Amino acid sequence: PVKVDDLAGFVAVANAAATDNKILVLSFTAEWCGACSTIKPLLRQFSTKLKTIAVFVIIDIDESEQVAQRFKISSIPTIILLRGGSGPEHEMARIKGGGPGVGRELLKLIHANSSQEDIMIMQQSQLKGPNVASARSLELVGEELTDLAFMPLAKL
């Protein structure tokens, strides 16, 4: 995922996603948030697997208060899906909390908000199969690999 530290950086990433007609997945987090740390490996995997149709963005609410205020973030983790711009009027869906099933819920929302073109792009990219470049982009850092390995699939 792309880490955004300020409003200008967020607007630039959002505009690039809009130009490419991609879904923008915003993950509002904080360093001190345990639930945020739990879903971080999941977001990394999704950002790699869904890069043809979505751009995943990490926004630390302590570092980028303006973006958090723009979307009226009242609890974390919060995941917001946008399409077509950087304002709240472009919001398509929102998930509050990071408990069991958040991964399944996020995939459902991405699918529900995908265009027919998105679905065709995903199908074409799956037909090509994995490659070395995509495998290298899935590097896990720190304890993320251990966390992911021991997390029951039901929680994802």
Side-chain angles (χ1 to χ4, degrees), residues 38-118:
T38 302
I39 65 171
K40 190 185 288 185
L42 179 70
L43 292 173
R44 287 186 66 146
Q45 280 196 351
F46 285 175
S47 71
T48 299
K49 292 181 183 284
L50 301 173
K51 66 184 175 189
T52 56
I53 65 163
V55 176
F56 284 73
V57 178
I58 304 292
I59 302 166
D60 187 308
I61 63 166
D62 295 326
E63 294 175 10
S64 186
E65 293 176 19
Q66 288 180 312
V67 180
Q69 289 171 356
R70 175 180 270 204
F71 290 97
K72 297 178 177 35
I73 301 302
S74 59
S75 63
I76 55 171
T78 295
I79 299 172
I80 297 177
L81 275 64
L82 301 178
R83 185 173 228 146
S86 62
E89 67 275 12
H90 298 284
E91 184 174 325
M92 299 184 303
R94 181 181 290 231
I95 300 171
K96 287 185 176 182
V102 71
R104 188 172 29 254
E105 180 67 18
L106 179 56
L107 284 178
K108 281 184 194 175
L109 290 174
I110 290 173
H111 185 266
N113 290 287
S114 294
S115 67
Q116 200 61 31
E117 181 182 352
D118 293 336

Side-chain angles (χ1 to χ4, degrees), residues 135-148:
R136 285 189 182 139
S137 67
L138 187 58
E139 293 177 31
L140 298 176
V141 295
E143 296 179 3
E144 289 178 341
L145 183 59
T146 303
D147 292 345
L148 190 59

